[in-house]
């Protein structure tokens, strides 16, 4: 990768979003949006996502048919952490009217970057970590209120199903040094939708042959206290089993997940831990498919909070 930025990047057109009815099944579906990034030439690139929305087809009224999927948050995302399978979930199972959507908009809040030389460039309202000071300005080209348009290749059709869209925020194309002015950087976010897939699932059964469950949290325990986990990148999904040992995880994005078990914490400070073997150890979830993973519990123990 090059160590210096070249000047600017293609400008995204600020057109109204197109959405049209056309679903033939259920009146609604669900949409999840994940944020990822490819490795870039910065040390850090932190951004706030103020809003994500789909919008109706009318160009005369920019709010016509506007469907907000995520609203303003104080959370900063370091884009350089969202590589090599890591991601941030910006929208999680939002209910979306059935139809075909061709575009969405991303409204960026405050942001700051750290160069490989350690210099910090920030927008005027950015909150920097304690001990960090700004060396220069990070200016935005536009889009603070209207957002940046993202075209969805082939369109996104929601028809009573659950979809996952992967949004790539390209750091190398989104931040650049202003020519002739070493004290400023410019931010013009460049997004692409790199993948759209149907959500899948993970389900199975938990067995505990010959295992005695200890009392914990001041009451008896059984298989309904077992919590299965599935981890991919930095994201973890969990589901409790029922008293018969059946569990199910819904709206699972396609990926390979490492299966595990989560301890259970109780209000009185006790914690219940299971040792269990998942078979298989990893769940490969394909688009729209459900993977099966069964657990065999080999022991269960309660750690009682000391009195006092």
């Amino acid at each position: 990768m090059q160590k210096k930025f070249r000047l600017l990047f293609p400008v995204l057109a600020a057109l109204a979003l197109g959405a049209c009815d056309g679903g033939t099944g259920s009146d609604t579906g669900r949409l999840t949006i994940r944020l990822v990034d490819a490795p870039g030439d910065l040390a850090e690139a932190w951004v706030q996502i103020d809003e994500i929305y789909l919008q109706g087809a009318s160009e005369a009224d920019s709010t016509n048919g506007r469907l907000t999927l995520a609203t303003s948050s104080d959370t900063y995302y370091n884009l350089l952490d969202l590589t090599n399978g890591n991601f941030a979930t910006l929208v999680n199972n939002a209910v979306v009217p059935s139809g075909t959507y061709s575009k969405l908009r991303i409204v960026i809040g405050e942001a700051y970057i750290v160069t490989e030389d350690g210099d910090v460039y920030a927008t005027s309202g950015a909150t920097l970590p304690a001990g960090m000071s700004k060396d220069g300005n990070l200016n935005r080209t536009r889009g603070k209120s209207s957002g940046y348009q993202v075209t969805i290749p082939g369109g996104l059709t929601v028809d009573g199903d659950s979809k996952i869209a992967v949004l790539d925020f390209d750091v190398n194309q989104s931040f650049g040094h202003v020519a002739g002015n070493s004290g400023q950087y410019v931010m013009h976010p460049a997004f692409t939708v790199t993948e759209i897939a149907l959500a899948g699932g993970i389900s199975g059964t938990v067995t505990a042959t010959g295992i005695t469950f200890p009392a914990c949290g001041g009451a008896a325990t059984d298989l309904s206290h077992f919590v299965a986990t599935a981890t991919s990148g930095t994201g973890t999904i969990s589901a409790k089993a029922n008293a018969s040992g059946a569990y199910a995880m819904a709206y699972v994005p396609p990926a390979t997940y490492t299966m595990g078990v989560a301890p259970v914490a109780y209000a009185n400070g006790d914690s219940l831990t299971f040792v269990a073997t998942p078979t298989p150890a990893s769940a490969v979830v394909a688009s729209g498919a459900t993977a099966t993973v069964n657990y065999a519990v080999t022991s269960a123990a309660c750690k009682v909070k000391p009195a006092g």
Side-chain angles (χ1 to χ4, degrees):
M1 292 182 291
Q2 298 175 347
K3 296 299 183 183
K4 300 295 181 183
F5 287 100
R6 301 191 184 276
L7 235 198
L8 290 184
F9 343 94
V11 176
L12 299 176
L15 302 176
L17 297 183
C20 63
D21 292 333
T24 57
S26 172
D27 290 338
T28 62
R30 290 183 180 269
L31 177 63
T32 294
I33 298 177
R34 286 180 160 186
L35 181 67
V36 299
D37 176 49
D41 290 337
L42 292 172
E44 300 175 34
W46 295 86
V47 298
Q48 289 178 317
I49 307 295
D50 270 1
E51 189 175 7
I52 302 175
Y53 62 91
L54 299 169
Q55 187 175 333
S58 171
E59 295 187 18
D61 179 2
S62 64
T63 62
N64 181 53
R66 178 165 166 165
L67 176 64
T68 300
L69 303 176
T71 55
S72 181
S73 168
D74 292 333
T75 301
Y76 281 84
Y77 299 96
N78 183 12
L79 301 173
L80 277 301
D81 286 340
L82 306 181
T83 62
N84 300 320
N86 295 326
F87 60 87
T89 300
L90 302 179
V91 177
N92 189 27
N93 293 323
V95 177
V96 176
S98 291
T100 298
Y101 300 88
S102 61
K103 297 176 178 69
L104 55 83
R105 282 188 184 272
I106 313 296
V107 180
I108 302 296
E110 303 301 331
Y112 66 92
I113 61 174
V114 181
T115 69
E116 291 183 330
D117 294 329
D119 294 329
V120 178
Y121 297 84
T123 56
S124 59
T127 302
L128 301 179
M132 179 181 287
S133 59
K134 184 168 74 171
D135 297 296
N137 295 324
L138 176 61
N139 300 320
R140 67 183 84 232
T141 54
R142 55 193 169 95
K144 181 173 174 59
S145 59
S146 62
Y148 296 88
Q149 177 177 280
V150 185
T151 299
I152 303 173
L156 170 65
T157 299
V158 178
D159 191 10
D161 47 23
S162 178
K163 296 284 180 68
I164 295 96
V166 178
L167 185 65
D168 189 340
F169 192 134
D170 193 321
V171 163
N172 273 346
Q173 292 191 54
S174 297
F175 300 94
H177 204 222
V178 177
N181 187 345
S182 60
Q184 295 188 48
Y185 265 70
V186 66
M187 174 178 66
H188 189 103
F191 296 95
T192 54
V193 175
T194 58
E195 178 185 353
I196 297 174
L198 285 166
I202 303 173
S203 63
T205 57
V206 182
T207 57
T209 305
I211 302 299
T212 301
F213 289 88
C216 205
T221 63
D222 57 20
L223 284 175
S224 66
H225 294 242
F226 185 95
V227 178
T229 63
T231 301
S232 177
T234 57
T236 297
I237 303 168
S238 63
K240 289 185 67 175
N242 61 23
S244 300
Y247 77 93
M249 302 176 186
Y251 307 120
V252 178
T256 298
Y257 294 85
T258 300
M259 303 303 294
V261 186
V264 180
Y266 297 91
N268 69 349
D270 291 356
S271 61
L272 178 64
T273 303
F274 292 94
V275 176
T277 301
T279 304
S282 297
V284 179
V285 179
S287 178
T290 297
T292 300
V293 177
N294 298 318
Y295 286 85
V297 178
T298 55
S299 67
C302 180
K303 184 178 180 180
V304 178
K305 182 180 179 180

